[in-house]
Amino acid sequence: MPPGVKQAIMIAAPHTSNWDFVYARAAFYLMDVPVKLTIKKEAFFFPMGALLRSMGAVPVDRKKNNNLVAAMVDLFKEHEEMVMMVTPEGTRKYQPRWKKGFYHTAVQAGVPILLGYLDYAKKEAGIGPTIHPTGDFDADMQKILGFYRTVTPKFPSQGVR
């Protein structure tokens, strides 16, 4: 975790396997990074709900047309220290266009974006560069995607191109 960073959005990418969550959560636990993450509300059934909440999961209703960005900004206002992990690809398959909510959340909450990764080829997990959003989404995304092009996911054909 970069020193002095108490709040941030952490991208978890490339997300190509269900194992990514298990490995990423374990890595951040070992690194003592107290990440929160959003998971579809359907996963919060007994007894999984209690386990997921204990691991920092926050349920999200993907069927409702709700404002997740505003809800996440409010969470940052409520917590002095919080790292929210997101998977902006929105799927485990190749996605040329990422969802922009993580970026808008970072801008509105005034928090940096951390580039979390699992590199299966190198067998390592970590946190790459810190991106301070400039408001120029396209320019900032080029930096973000440029970094993730150097990371090998579990299924490389589904990774960032």
Side-chain angles (χ1 to χ4, degrees):
M1 189 71 181
V5 174
K6 295 188 184 281
Q7 292 184 318
I9 292 285
M10 180 172 310
I11 295 174
H15 180 40
T16 66
S17 164
N18 284 329
W19 283 104
D20 293 345
F21 168 74
V22 176
Y23 295 139
R25 191 63 194 101
F28 294 128
Y29 176 77
L30 291 172
M31 288 187 265
D32 199 27
V33 177
V35 295
K36 297 261 187 217
L37 53 139
T38 57
I39 296 181
K40 61 184 173 183
K41 76 170 189 150
E42 292 81 9
F44 286 79
F45 57 87
F46 182 81
M48 290 300 296
L51 177 64
L52 291 171
R53 280 186 179 85
S54 73
M55 294 175 15
V58 177
V60 175
D61 186 352
R62 298 186 307 173
K63 292 182 175 113
K64 282 186 178 177
N65 185 12
N66 53 15
N67 191 337
L68 186 57
V69 169
M72 289 175 68
V73 170
D74 287 344
L75 283 172
F76 279 108
K77 289 178 184 173
E78 294 168 11
H79 298 89
E80 273 186 42
E81 294 187 26
M82 185 176 77
V83 177
M84 181 63 77
M85 186 167 61
V86 298
T87 55
E89 294 152 303
T91 179
R92 287 174 299 280
K93 301 206 176 354
Y94 170 68
Q95 181 54 257
R97 289 191 180 92
W98 287 9
K99 295 182 179 199
K100 297 178 181 181
F102 79 94
Y103 188 85
H104 295 300
T105 300
V107 169
Q108 291 177 32
V111 300
I113 299 169
L114 304 177
L115 307 185
Y117 68 93
L118 293 171
D119 192 313
Y120 283 81
K122 295 177 185 172
K123 296 184 179 182
E124 69 180 26
I127 301 171
T130 301
I131 305 293
H132 295 276
T134 64
D136 184 342
F137 176 79
D138 293 330
D140 291 340
M141 277 305 293
Q142 288 308 311
K143 292 177 194 170
I144 292 168
L145 294 174
F147 170 75
Y148 283 116
R149 285 185 188 104
T150 69
V151 175
T152 305
K154 183 159 182 70
F155 299 107
S157 65
Q158 298 171 16
V160 176
R161 298 180 189 157

